[in-house]
Amino acid sequence: MHGVKLFTGAAVSVLLLALAGPTPALADTIEAALVRAYQNNPQLNAQRAQVRSTDENVPQALSGYRPRVALSANGGYQYQDTLSSPAPGNSPINGPSVPRSVGVTVTQTVYNGNITGNRTRAAESQVSGSREALRSLDQSVLLQGATIYMDYLRDAATLEVQRSNVRVLEQTLKQTRDRFNVGEVTRTDVAQSEAQLAAGKTQALTAEANLTTTRANFRRIIGNEPTNLAPGSPVDRFLPATLAAAVELGLIEHPNVTAAMFGIDVNYLQVKVAEGALLPTIALQVAATQGNEQSLIQYRSFNASAIAQANWQLYDGGNSYSLIRQSKENLAQQRLNLETTRDQTRANVVQFWGTLQAGKAQVQSAQAQVTASEIALNGVREEAKAGQRTTLDVLNAQQALVNARVALVTAQHDRVVASYNVLAAIGRLSPQVLGLATTVYDPSVHYHQVRDSWAGVRTPDGR
């Protein structure tokens, strides 16, 4: 029974803070799991596609600087019968003809109240905002990956603790029955051992069910079945030294904050776009048309023109003024949203920082609890042999030790997850900071591929 007790203690130490000693060469590490989540998560890949879609807003806005070319052509059949006057000597003009023409018109906007420039800058801010949204989702996926990795380690260790407890209780029941057969204990002691064993089996089955659920979530988030997981460790080395420094970083670097700031830029420029509708528009139009057989007496014609056009809409029923006021309210709302986001970011940093500090203390307390519970159980067993303790005392001490080991497993899990939460709260949970062995997705590559594209329907990846 003593050997079983030691095995239970080893099951606990396999979890998290086993930082001493190398892990097996084929063990799956938390870093490798995060790489797979970063590369293959469908939600993350969908957000990357969304960013690429947003990139197209810039060439759409830039199209306002470029000329617009229209080609027109027509052709048909007509019959004409004309007599201009019944006077002598006038002859009718009649017969069929096939009129046809082709023309091209080029229109270049010269000035439109700087609407095109403001739309372009707004589109660029939208691109920057979408990149920050992608960075926020990067953090969420990596945090989910780290959490589920630690969840599996916790639940696997908890299951092993419960199974080991069942083995200990089975031996305890066997010993109690042997002592009952020789008259050392009563039937009550046997019943107590049987009840405790039944409760232990229930706890083991519950732990097994929890592990099955966690395994399914691991497959969903990471992309493969968990096998031979190495212990996970905290990421405290990437965190600021003080809470004040962490809060300051969060208010500067968190993607939700930066995305809200870009949102203010977008809404400010939308105000400028709306105000541009009150200004005149100047355009230059060049056109050329070649016509054939437009009539029986006109065999061929060619027309060319270059026209400067100016348009200033003085009043449109108040619609433009309403759009300006509406845009200003949207800008005010976005500024308030930024303050809300900053307040929430500050609260998250403080909350997770406190959780991390508490988690460090909880690990130490849980470890002390396990050590004390082991000593207490050994002492109760020795006293029971001398008749100074009852079987129920032994069973209670055993359950106290199991509870302490489960608490240690949970505390170690919470300690590691809290460190990842703090890193995400300050906006630094990224493959670059973690040093993950993966190619980091660079959204600027697609942006530069399409920004100055004048034509073409294929995407840069060939679709």
Side-chain angles (χ1 to χ4, degrees), residues 134-349:
L134 175 61
R135 193 161 69 90
S136 179
L137 187 58
D138 284 346
Q139 290 204 145
S140 297
V141 169
L142 292 175
L143 182 58
Q144 289 177 5
T147 301
I148 196 63
Y149 189 96
M150 302 310 302
D151 287 351
Y152 187 85
L153 287 176
R154 176 198 61 194
D155 294 346
T158 300
L159 175 59
E160 190 53 48
V161 168
Q162 297 296 349
R163 285 176 174 174
S164 180
N165 179 52
V166 170
R167 292 191 290 270
V168 171
L169 292 175
E170 287 175 343
Q171 291 189 7
T172 301
L173 176 59
K174 181 178 181 300
Q175 293 173 353
T176 303
R177 284 174 175 170
D178 291 341
R179 296 177 65 191
F180 172 73
N181 291 333
V182 297
E184 293 183 3
V185 296
T186 66
R187 179 61 187 169
T188 300
D189 296 297
V190 176
Q192 289 172 340
S193 297
E194 291 173 342
Q196 195 72 6
L197 175 59
K201 289 181 177 180
T202 299
Q203 293 171 347
L205 291 173
T206 300
E208 186 173 1
N210 292 338
L211 183 62
T212 300
T213 301
T214 304
R215 182 182 293 110
N217 289 329
F218 189 100
R219 175 68 177 81
R220 174 178 60 85
I221 297 172
I222 304 300
N224 65 286
E225 296 292 334
T227 304
N228 192 24
L229 302 188
S233 60
V235 288
D236 295 0
R237 60 190 180 279
F238 304 124
L239 300 178
T242 64
L243 174 58
V247 170
E248 182 178 1
L249 277 176
L251 296 179
I252 296 174
E253 297 188 9
H254 196 280
N256 290 346
V257 174
T258 51
M261 295 174 67
F262 285 120
I264 291 178
D265 293 340
V266 171
N267 281 272
Y268 173 78
L269 291 166
Q270 291 295 346
V271 173
K272 294 302 180 182
V273 170
E275 290 175 344
L278 301 178
L279 299 175
T281 300
I282 301 174
L284 178 64
Q285 185 178 84
V286 178
T289 304
Q290 172 71 49
N292 293 308
E293 296 187 42
Q294 299 300 304
S295 67
L296 291 177
I297 62 174
Q298 184 180 355
Y299 179 72
R300 178 182 300 149
S301 66
F302 178 79
N303 297 315
S305 64
I307 303 173
Q309 299 175 333
N311 180 46
W312 193 344
Q313 183 170 266
L314 299 179
Y315 186 68
D316 61 355
N319 181 67
S320 297
Y321 300 102
S322 177
L323 290 175
I324 293 173
R325 295 193 302 270
Q326 184 181 51
S327 300
K328 289 181 177 179
E329 293 296 345
N330 290 337
L331 174 59
Q333 179 188 20
Q334 188 60 38
R335 285 171 173 162
L336 294 173
N337 288 341
L338 173 60
E339 293 305 313
T340 301
T341 302
R342 282 173 170 164
D343 290 341
Q344 185 62 58
T345 300
R346 182 184 293 105
N348 289 341
V349 173

Side-chain angles (χ1 to χ4, degrees), residues 37 42 45 51 72 81 88 111-112 117 119 149 151 160 188 198 241 246 288 296 348 353 382 387 411 440-441:
N45 287 328
V51 173
S72 62
D81 190 347
Y111 178 76
N112 62 352
R119 280 179 176 167
Y149 189 96
D151 287 351
E160 190 53 48
T188 300
L296 291 177
N348 289 341
W353 185 275
E382 294 300 323
V440 178
Y441 180 80

Side-chain angles (χ1 to χ4, degrees), residues 67-71 104-107:
R68 299 185 181 274
V69 182
L71 181 66
V104 61
T105 302
V106 180
T107 304

